[in-house]
Amino acid sequence: DAGVTQSPTHLIKTRGQQVTLRCSPKSGHDTVSWYQQALGQGPQFIFQYYEEEERQRGNFPDRFSGHQFPNYSSELNVNALLLGDSALYLCASSFDEQETQYFGPGTRLLVL
Amino acid sequence: AQKITQTQPGMFVQEKEAVTLDCTYDTSDPSYGLFWYKQPSSGEMIFLIYQGSYDQQNATEGRYSLNFQKARKSANLVISASQLGDSAMYFCAMREGAPNTGNQFYFGTGTSLTVIP
């Protein structure tokens, strides 16, 4: 039973560029959430997707957008990258919003 | 106000001893869930234990137990018989909201646990 997978594992971008991160949920899960974890901090909730729609959003600007596909996989897009966007981006999946979230290994993004 | 507060930035425990990691939470919602995750240096968040706001008994999962004190809004993690592999960051988290209202998770700032041989 495959767990949550994320790609790529590492990424280096320059300011102003755009990035797309990908996530495949755990088998049987239909809800995907994205988090940003800056160095030395706890994860911060970006948004959650369910049935291909954004159901809940944290305090992140519109530069952060996402998508969920019919197979429940998801993408996180960040436009106009800033140095402060450098972080570990974690994807978590669950069966329904109420259930325990299981996390992927994360994508480490470095913005230069 | 912070939704989740972890006041212990770092903790040390002797191997085979028990350790308690503190967590307090803030919500006015009657329906919520409390979680503990372990994050080794590799970065992946590993689910440890869950406690629902309506659960009458404290949750236990192997060597992990959650000391849930609802009136005090605390959800401390107890690790018994510590092992060297327990050395990691530990995060307390809360899911807030009733079903189908659009929940989100709030995480604390974490506690770094070091197990000493």
Side-chain angles (χ1 to χ4, degrees), chain B residues 58-112:
Chain B
N58 287 344
T60 59
E61 289 284 350
R63 295 187 299 111
Y64 304 108
S65 61
L66 199 153
N67 185 2
F68 181 45
Q69 299 189 39
K70 198 169 184 177
R72 297 180 59 186
K73 294 189 175 179
S74 73
N76 298 339
L77 176 70
V78 180
I79 305 174
S80 62
S82 296
Q83 302 172 356
L84 296 179
D86 293 336
S87 294
M89 283 292 290
Y90 288 81
F91 289 95
C92 179
M94 177 176 67
R95 170 194 47 77
E96 186 180 48
N100 299 317
T101 62
N103 294 176
Q104 63 173 285
F105 273 50
Y106 300 92
F107 280 79
T109 52
T111 295
S112 176

Side-chain angles (χ1 to χ4, degrees), chain A residues 4 35 37 40-45 48 55-59 88 90 96-106 108, chain B residues 31 35 37 39 41-47 50 89 91 95 97-110:
Chain A
V4 181
Y35 294 84
Q37 186 178 19
Q41 301 295 317
Q44 298 291 316
F45 174 77
Q48 182 179 84
R55 182 160 61 179
Q56 185 77 337
R57 188 179 183 93
N59 189 25
L88 176 67
L90 294 164
D96 192 79
E97 60 178 355
Q98 294 274 298
E99 299 299 317
T100 298
Q101 295 191 351
Y102 291 87
F103 285 78
R108 294 188 185 274
Chain B
S31 177
F35 303 79
Y37 288 87
Q39 188 176 43
S41 56
S42 60
E44 185 167 353
M45 300 283 280
I46 301 168
F47 166 71
Y50 164 79
M89 283 292 290
F91 289 95
R95 170 194 47 77
N100 299 317
T101 62
N103 294 176
Q104 63 173 285
F105 273 50
Y106 300 92
F107 280 79
T109 52

